[in-house]
Amino acid sequence: MEAALRGAAGIALVVVPFAVLGVFVTRMFGSDDLEDGDALAVGATTGLAAFLLQAQMLGRFNAIGTGAIWFVAAATGLTATAAAVWIARRRSMQDGESPLGPSPCVLAAVGLTLFVAIVPLAVELVRYPASLSAPTPWYYWSLALQTAEAGGLPATSIEWGQEVAFLADYPAFTTATAAIMDSIGGTQLHAAHLMRLLAAAAAGLGFYAMARTWGAGRIAAGAGVFAFLATDVYLI
């Protein structure tokens, strides 16, 4: 549990400030009829994307495994927080402008929806904390282990006794899993489980934001999140 909390803290240092910044920027520069839930979905997706981008950059510079994730997470988180505070103060000085942040009711509704959507995955992780559900996740877990050991994406890997080109088809998620391992300080499967929850959350929020952009109503977009996760994310 302690390892999982350390990993979650490393993720939150980046995700939360960039999510808040994303909400503020969306509300400030978006259309006047933008609803709170839409801004929150865009902001949360921005935060998750920022974490994946940061992990991939650490991998590019072979900095995974050096403990740099905590320094980089804190630095980027503080930068995003400072930018969000500046935008909020600038907006507050403009007379007649509405608040930038979403209402507590919207926060609660979005949080509850996302929680319910990932419950089946969360239950599986609780029931089988030392295992993965299928052969494919184990293969990608091995790629993350190799990335953590190399400090970045290696050029080659060994499969069935032969040296082959390293499979970097999901570089952001591979490096992010390795970065979470770095924050945890070990090779426990907690990193894989946290990455699966992160992927499910990113997929759900991104789908909602995309559906709303294409004109879907809130109920239709929310229902689409459940359908999308049930037919895609849970299968892996």
Side-chain angles (χ1 to χ4, degrees):
M1 178 60 72
E2 181 181 350
L5 290 176
R6 285 201 304 270
I11 296 171
L13 274 176
V14 179
V15 172
V16 173
F18 274 95
V20 173
L21 177 61
V23 169
F24 285 7
V25 170
T26 303
R27 289 297 302 273
M28 191 166 189
F29 298 104
S31 61
D32 294 336
D33 58 350
L34 186 71
E35 297 184 8
D36 285 348
D38 302 336
L40 185 58
V42 172
T45 305
T46 301
L48 294 168
F51 174 77
L52 295 176
L53 178 61
Q54 175 185 285
Q56 192 165 4
M57 293 302 296
L58 287 171
R60 292 290 183 183
F61 290 100
N62 295 322
I64 296 176
T66 63
I69 182 173
W70 288 106
F71 173 78
V72 175
T76 55
L78 286 173
T79 301
T81 301
V85 170
W86 180 80
I87 291 175
R89 291 188 62 184
R90 182 177 178 181
R91 181 65 174 251
S92 66
M93 289 186 295
Q94 300 177 12
D95 295 334
E97 296 289 354
S98 59
L100 287 170
S103 67
C105 291
V106 171
L107 286 171
V110 173
L112 180 61
T113 300
L114 189 60
F115 173 77
V116 173
I118 64 175
V119 159
L121 178 58
V123 170
E124 178 191 337
L125 300 186
V126 171
R127 291 181 61 187
Y128 307 106
S131 181
L132 296 174
S133 59
T136 300
W138 282 110
Y139 176 75
Y140 282 98
W141 172 245
S142 72
L143 296 181
L145 287 172
Q146 295 172 54
T147 301
E149 183 178 355
L153 294 174
T156 62
S157 60
I158 302 298
E159 296 184 15
W160 299 98
Q162 295 185 350
E163 186 177 70
V164 298
F166 185 83
L167 183 62
D169 52 348
Y170 301 108
F173 288 94
T174 300
T175 52
T177 305
I180 296 173
M181 267 190 268
D182 185 13
S183 67
I184 288 176
T187 58
Q188 305 100 320
L189 280 176
H190 294 96
H193 296 328
L194 285 170
M195 190 67 246
R196 294 180 69 190
L197 290 171
L198 190 68
L205 289 165
F207 184 93
Y208 182 88
M210 182 179 66
R212 290 288 287 155
T213 300
W214 286 355
R218 286 177 294 178
I219 296 178
V225 171
F226 284 92
F228 174 68
L229 292 177
T231 57
D232 184 70
V233 176
Y234 295 151
L235 296 180
I236 61 174

